[in-house]
Amino acid sequence: MSKALTATALALFAASLTGQTVQAPPEPPPGFRRFDGLGVVHMDLPESWRELGPAEAQRLGAKLPPGLRITTPGEAQVFGDVDRWLAEGFDGRAMLFFVDSFELGATQENLDAIVAFHEGWSGGDGARRTVISTAIGTIGRSAHPVMEIAMRYESGEPAHPPMRSRDLYASTMGRRLILSLRAWETDWVESEPVFRQVADSLVFARPPQVEDDEDLSDRLLSAVLWGSVTGVGLLVARMFLRGRPPA
């Protein structure tokens, strides 16, 4: 199946689940191509970007910042201008695409827990993370609930200057997705418009299941309450009929 057909099918699938009429997403703008992430989300990436393979990550080694050196297909993937990295060295712009096997609602409580984790994190050789700003809102063409964190990364290695990132936390299809769009701090102003196009292009397969679970619990509670009322009514009716004289 072609990438265009895959994107169309994903949009129609999302529409069928939400009960909305959604048109197929537009073609990527010039200089971008469509990426289908595990069938649960798609986005437009720069044409020169592709996934970094495990062997390529080992080959680049310390030329990459520590957080981008390990890749696990289907779990932790790194995207960028890999061919340029191999030929000229890491250019600083990359996306870390991370997938968990659970969902996490876009709530203030969850956002606070993620921020606390980053603020309490410390690595070797003076590596640290600094939270610049946070937000809860929606993202992409499907207006999907998302938690956003702007971060500053210091690797503690003299060869790597500080990085900035826009980290997006979103849930769909029973999975939590993290998209960390990163660039050298000195290149952030020039990189941010490209990252904004990537984020704005996001389309998820379906709304978060965590929200559906809340709706389901409300329906179950309602059913239990109505069931209780019906049961009491039947019990009263049975007692009344037992007390009546035979016809």
Side-chain angles (χ1 to χ4, degrees), residues 5-243:
L5 289 177
T6 300
T8 301
L10 186 58
L12 294 176
F13 177 57
S16 66
L17 290 170
T18 59
Q20 298 176 345
T21 301
V22 179
Q23 295 181 348
E27 288 299 313
F32 285 77
R33 65 178 181 84
R34 183 134 307 142
F35 165 69
D36 182 13
L38 304 177
V40 296
V41 63
H42 72 67
M43 68 193 83
D44 298 339
L45 295 179
E47 284 182 339
S48 61
W49 282 28
R50 66 173 177 85
E51 182 179 356
L52 175 69
E56 294 169 329
Q58 290 182 350
R59 177 180 167 186
L60 288 167
K63 294 179 180 179
L64 293 172
L68 301 176
R69 292 174 188 169
I70 299 177
T71 63
T72 306
E75 181 178 327
Q77 299 167 271
V78 175
F79 293 83
D81 195 345
V82 176
D83 294 324
R84 178 181 176 184
W85 299 352
L86 295 171
E88 304 174 12
F90 182 60
D91 63 2
R93 295 186 184 184
M95 180 185 74
L96 175 62
F97 181 61
F98 187 80
V99 182
D100 270 330
S101 58
F102 63 89
E103 292 200 7
L104 190 68
T107 66
Q108 189 62 50
E109 181 181 6
N110 289 333
L111 180 58
D112 291 343
I114 296 171
V115 169
F117 168 78
H118 285 302
E119 291 181 336
W121 182 91
S122 63
D125 301 322
R128 66 173 182 169
R129 302 169 182 175
T130 304
V131 176
I132 299 173
S133 64
T134 65
I136 296 177
T138 59
I139 199 73
R141 298 187 182 116
S142 53
H144 196 86
V146 68
M147 294 179 286
E148 296 192 43
I149 302 179
M151 296 277 293
R152 185 176 190 267
Y153 293 86
E154 296 177 69
S155 69
E157 299 180 3
H160 302 297
M163 300 192 82
R164 286 277 303 273
S165 76
R166 181 184 183 187
D167 296 348
L168 308 173
Y169 294 75
S171 294
T172 184
M173 300 290 288
R175 301 181 181 186
R176 181 186 68 161
L177 311 180
I178 304 175
L179 281 70
S180 183
L181 297 157
R182 304 185 183 187
W184 298 135
E185 189 170 49
T186 54
D187 185 43
W188 181 256
V189 174
E190 290 74 18
S191 303
E192 203 274 336
V194 176
F195 294 162
R196 189 185 307 120
Q197 282 190 276
V198 174
D200 290 346
S201 72
L202 289 166
V203 175
F204 296 81
R206 61 159 296 150
Q209 185 64 40
V210 287
E211 293 188 351
D212 293 346
D213 286 342
E214 293 174 359
D215 294 339
L216 177 60
S217 63
D218 291 340
R219 293 196 298 269
L220 289 175
L221 178 60
S222 178
V224 169
L225 292 175
W226 278 108
S228 299
V229 171
T230 303
V232 171
L234 291 174
L235 181 60
V236 171
R238 184 177 179 183
M239 294 174 61
F240 174 76
L241 291 174
R242 282 185 175 183

